[in-house]
Amino acid sequence: MSEGRILAASQDGAYVVRMEGDVRLNLCTTIDEFMQRMFADPEFASVWVDLCDTEGMDSTTLGLLAKLALEVHERYGFRPAIYCCNPGINRLLTSMGFQQLFDLHEEVCERTPSIEEIPHVEGSEQAVKDKVIEAHRVLMGLSEDNRDRFKDLMAVLECG
């Protein structure tokens, strides 16, 4: 699998976030800081996520995506879209309950020519740990299955 990268573009408050390769917790600070900047944009109007070039993603990344959807719904009253043509990733999204958070599209989205890589942001060990815990709390809040799936991990993270 290729190393993960996060790309984004925006125009007139409409945002596109593309995740490529194997997206893991080493990108959680990058993703979280981008989301904060996006929500601070007074022109923010929409966001959709392009996972067509995503080869893999960990539960921290999934938790951050869930956080994105919950925040969009709470602040703006709509569900963002995810476009993904990878059957494995689509099964993962469905198994995590993402159909209740996002409009899921199992197709390639329109490509944005002006999309650029978001610079990687290094987080301190504690900041990354905090984001991992937060992301998993969000996932656990989506379903009983997720609660069972991540309870042991959370016990270890919260004790350490």
Side-chain angles (χ1 to χ4, degrees):
M1 283 195 199
S2 60
E3 187 174 331
R5 352 186 278 160
I6 310 297
L7 299 96
S10 69
Q11 182 175 352
D12 301 324
Y15 284 80
V16 176
V17 178
R18 181 182 304 154
M19 297 184 175
E20 296 180 347
D22 191 28
V23 185
R24 300 276 164 199
L25 70 89
N26 63 316
L27 292 170
C28 70
T29 303
T30 303
I31 295 166
D32 197 58
E33 286 195 11
F34 174 77
M35 286 174 20
Q36 289 176 30
R37 286 194 315 270
M38 181 179 69
F39 288 130
D41 179 354
E43 293 186 359
F44 177 86
S46 67
V47 61
W48 49 271
V49 180
D50 175 354
L51 300 179
C52 289
D53 294 324
T54 303
E55 298 169 17
M57 55 189 354
D58 66 1
S59 54
T60 300
T61 303
L62 290 165
L64 290 171
L65 285 174
K67 177 184 169 186
L68 166 77
L70 291 167
E71 188 132 354
V72 166
H73 189 265
E74 181 180 305
R75 288 184 181 205
Y76 305 100
F78 69 90
R79 294 186 335 171
I82 287 182
Y83 289 85
C84 182
C85 46
N86 179 325
I89 299 288
N90 284 326
R91 278 191 301 278
L92 177 62
L93 296 174
T94 302
S95 76
M96 290 289 147
F98 273 44
Q99 64 279 10
Q100 55 187 321
L101 301 175
F102 290 91
D103 289 331
L104 299 179
H105 301 273
E106 295 183 7
E107 64 216 31
V108 176
C109 57
E110 181 180 321
R111 292 299 172 138
T112 307
S114 61
I115 201 158
E116 296 178 6
E117 185 166 2
I118 299 171
H120 182 75
V121 178
E122 287 291 330
S124 69
E125 185 176 329
Q126 185 61 49
V128 169
K129 181 180 175 184
D130 291 346
K131 288 181 190 336
V132 169
I133 289 171
E134 178 188 21
H136 285 84
R137 280 191 183 131
V138 172
L139 283 178
M140 290 173 76
L142 296 180
S143 72
E144 191 65 42
D145 286 344
N146 286 357
R147 228 177 328 283
D148 291 342
R149 189 176 283 139
F150 297 115
K151 68 181 177 195
D152 294 339
L153 173 63
M154 285 298 285
V156 170
L157 288 170
E158 290 174 328
C159 288

